Amino acid sequence: DEESFYALENAKIVREAEKYYRKMFEGGEVTWNIRDTHMCDCLQDLLKHQGDRTKAVIWVRRRRRGGENLRFV
């Protein structure tokens, strides 16, 4: 049901936020990798929850060393 799905997604957000901030302060793994993986996982969960006929359009804008890159997925 909807409430269970969103409760589970919120729990994942809390877990991943803790992981992201821990890595940000400790160093090591690049934090944008953690963030991007989490965003992709959330999108996949939402698409699966909404059904096989559901589609999404995503626009990703990134700023990193080397200038601005736009990527369409």
Side-chain angles (χ1 to χ4, degrees), residues 1 10-12 14 22 25 27 29 31 34 38 41 43 47-49 54-55 61-63 66-67 72:
D1 72 35
N10 283 327
K12 290 177 185 179
V14 170
R22 184 174 300 276
F25 287 109
E29 186 176 353
T31 55
I34 295 169
H38 168 71
D41 291 345
L43 178 60
L47 291 172
K48 183 178 177 184
H49 177 71
T54 302
K55 298 185 185 319
R61 179 179 175 173
R62 297 182 179 196
R63 288 185 182 211
F72 296 90

Side-chain angles (χ1 to χ4, degrees), residues 24-72:
M24 190 170 66
F25 287 109
E26 291 175 352
E29 186 176 353
V30 180
T31 55
W32 62 261
N33 257 352
I34 295 169
R35 185 198 63 219
D36 287 359
T37 299
H38 168 71
M39 293 171 89
C40 183
D41 291 345
C42 284
L43 178 60
Q44 289 176 339
D45 290 345
L46 184 60
L47 291 172
K48 183 178 177 184
H49 177 71
Q50 294 296 322
D52 292 337
R53 297 179 52 109
T54 302
K55 298 185 185 319
V57 176
I58 310 300
W59 174 32
V60 179
R61 179 179 175 173
R62 297 182 179 196
R63 288 185 182 211
R64 297 207 185 108
R65 283 180 272 167
E68 180 174 305
N69 299 309
L70 295 178
R71 183 178 80 186
F72 296 90

